[in-house]
Amino acid sequence: MSRICPKEFILLNVRVFRSRGAPYVLGMICLVMLACGTAGGPDDAALLAEVSGRRIDAGEFRGFVSGLQEWTLSELEGERRVRDYLQSLVDRTLILVEAERRDLGASPELQGNLAIALRVRLGEEMEARMVRPRVVLTNEELRREFEEKNWARQIQIAHIFIRDRERAEAAQAALEGGAAFEVVAHEYSDNRTTAARGGEKPYFYSRLNATDAVREPLFGLQVGEVSELIRVPNGWEIFRVLDEYIATFEDMQPQILKVMLRERTHAARRAYVDSLELAFDWRLQVDAMARLMEILRGAEPGPEGKKIFRLSLKDREQTLFAFRDGAVTIGEAIAASQFIRQGRYVTDSLKVATYLDRDVRTPRLMLLHAVHLGV
């Protein structure tokens, strides 16, 4: 077992930062590296640094290092690595001291951002505790999926993507009339990159690369066959299979695992959240949902393609979801969903319901459960 050797190292350092172009002194750092009393390193109370009267002890240092994400790890080695981490912790403490000096904690914007960050972190914790343990996959299940869903098949395709339904139907009619796929793709497709190649895409694709909307009809085609018109999120697509090859289970196992984990996790999350809906008596207010759709459909065009919603104070405060001991208003729901705020497909009530489920119902119920459990 290694032992950190006793050191007597005192670094007196003045950190100067610039704010709005003017330099100012944040504080004097008295950094004291102390000898460790045991072979395992200093105990948690051992002082490592003092920043403007704030102590940084070994326990805080260990917690800081253990919580670092992999991409933030230092590339230095040995004592230089320790110094690098300690300097980062000192810098962070300096920032916090200055933030307190300026009373930034009282900022409504900061408080809002902190609340959002807390909700996200609690959601991640509840996902780890309540959802992931329910998701178990065996190698036998992966192999069965490989065989039953024809994962071995890899196909090269050409496509015609069109945003407007009327033009998409015209393209389909041209194909049915005997026009070559390459010619129709060049004339009609809104994906001009692939249109220049007659619609051809450059790679072979597995089922993993296909979205839910197109996976089954696309992989049901034989080489040379052309699909019907398929509705996709941004418009319409027509596919033609150009070539294929057969992969092994070993080749496809990582992809199958990725897809099945995603599907099983989604199902487990859905079951978990549905159980919370009953536990917390979560209810959608139908009249408020109808009013929300009126507001969204009456949105006015804004800058950069975004929508501007006109909400009265009464609309903002109207309860959209009620639950035991609380509620979510229309204003809160709009604020919680980035896609609704940006006006993406908000005239489609099914899309809006999906946004509300993902951005409002699921995170709020998980937050309620986290609070209930004392997480």
Side-chain angles (χ1 to χ4, degrees), residues 1-5 33-49 55-69 72-73 81-90 92-93:
M1 183 176 294
S2 64
R3 173 183 175 86
I4 301 176
C5 297
M33 299 298 295
L34 297 180
C36 57
T38 66
D43 60 45
D44 284 352
L47 177 65
L48 298 184
R55 290 171 55 91
I56 297 176
D57 57 32
E60 182 179 357
F61 178 75
R62 288 196 186 98
F64 171 74
V65 174
S66 65
L68 292 173
Q69 298 293 322
T72 65
L73 297 180
R81 185 183 181 110
V82 174
R83 287 171 179 263
D84 190 20
Y85 287 147
L86 185 56
Q87 185 63 58
S88 296
L89 184 53
V90 167
R92 187 181 73 169
T93 306

Side-chain angles (χ1 to χ4, degrees), residues 109-171:
E109 182 180 2
L110 178 61
Q111 291 294 331
N113 290 337
L114 287 173
I116 292 171
L118 177 60
R119 288 198 295 270
V120 170
R121 182 67 188 91
L122 284 173
E124 292 171 348
E125 180 66 22
M126 297 307 292
E127 180 98 4
R129 293 189 185 197
M130 310 302 298
V131 177
R132 291 176 194 164
R134 305 183 186 191
V135 180
V136 179
L137 282 169
T138 65
N139 200 55
E140 290 72 19
E141 288 178 296
L142 296 177
R143 188 173 288 277
R144 190 182 312 120
E145 176 82 2
F146 172 76
E147 294 170 354
E148 292 178 356
K149 296 291 184 64
N150 195 19
W151 273 92
R153 190 169 185 236
Q154 311 288 292
I155 59 176
Q156 186 182 21
I157 61 175
H159 78 136
I160 301 170
F161 167 69
I162 303 173
R163 295 184 179 87
D164 178 72
R165 178 167 185 168
E166 185 175 341
R167 290 186 66 248
E169 290 175 346

Side-chain angles (χ1 to χ4, degrees), residues 38 53 86 91 106 116-117 125 132 134 145 151-152 174 177 195-196 202 213 219 240 256 258 262 273 294 302 368:
T38 66
L86 185 56
D91 290 343
I116 292 171
E125 180 66 22
R132 291 176 194 164
R134 305 183 186 191
E145 176 82 2
W151 273 92
F219 278 83
R240 182 171 186 258
I256 300 172
K258 182 177 180 179
R262 184 179 65 219
V273 173
E294 287 180 10
L368 289 172

